[in-house]
Amino acid sequence: MTWQLADEDATLNVARICSDIIDGGGLVFLLGTLGAGKTTFCRGFIQALGHEGAVRSPTYTLVEEYPLSARRVCHFDLYRLGDPEELEFMGIRDYLDDDSLCLIEWPQRGVGVLPEADLVLHLADEGDGRQLDIEAGSDKGQHWLQQLQQ
Ligand code: ADP
Ligand code: MG
């Protein structure tokens, strides 16, 4: 499924819609070049779930955790990950539990250690705006995608 996002507000809005539908735990990958809007999407998603503070890019920390009312959301940016094995040292398995929703920017850096995503979001420049493509990678992701299409 594809969305045209004319400006930053459109990205925040689609993130809010996704946050309504993506319930419980799961793994969401965000692909796209620097500046494509991945962090903007994560900010919209996390703030729509009730987080009132800032959502900073975890460029240096690699991960930020948001303990929200119903579940934990973990926002990763793996751009600076040197080697996928560093994820093991970070304790990646503790983040990927059934009650956590993990949003991962630059998942390519973790190939071989990260499991398959439930949803893959691909953001790309489209004129002055962006285009978002969403694909499912699991039955759970397929279920979310069907709900997004309604
Ligand atoms: P990334 O995390 O992919 O590197 P960011 O989320 O930091 O990218 O966004 C980079 C810039 O793109 C920000 O200035 C943001 O306001 C802008 N942006 C986000 N969504 C859109 C959009 N749909 N159209 C135009 N600009 C956007
Ligand atoms: Mg980013």
Side-chain angles (χ1 to χ4, degrees), residues 7 15-16 19 54 77 89 113 134 138 140:
D7 53 22
R16 183 183 54 72
S19 77
D77 181 345
F89 302 124
V113 174
I134 308 186
S138 70
K140 180 160 59 179

Side-chain angles (χ1 to χ4, degrees), residues 5-8 11 33-40 105 128-130:
L5 307 172
D7 53 22
E8 180 183 295
T11 304
T33 53
L34 281 175
K38 302 179 296 297
T39 300
T40 304
E105 299 184 42
D128 292 337
R130 305 288 187 271

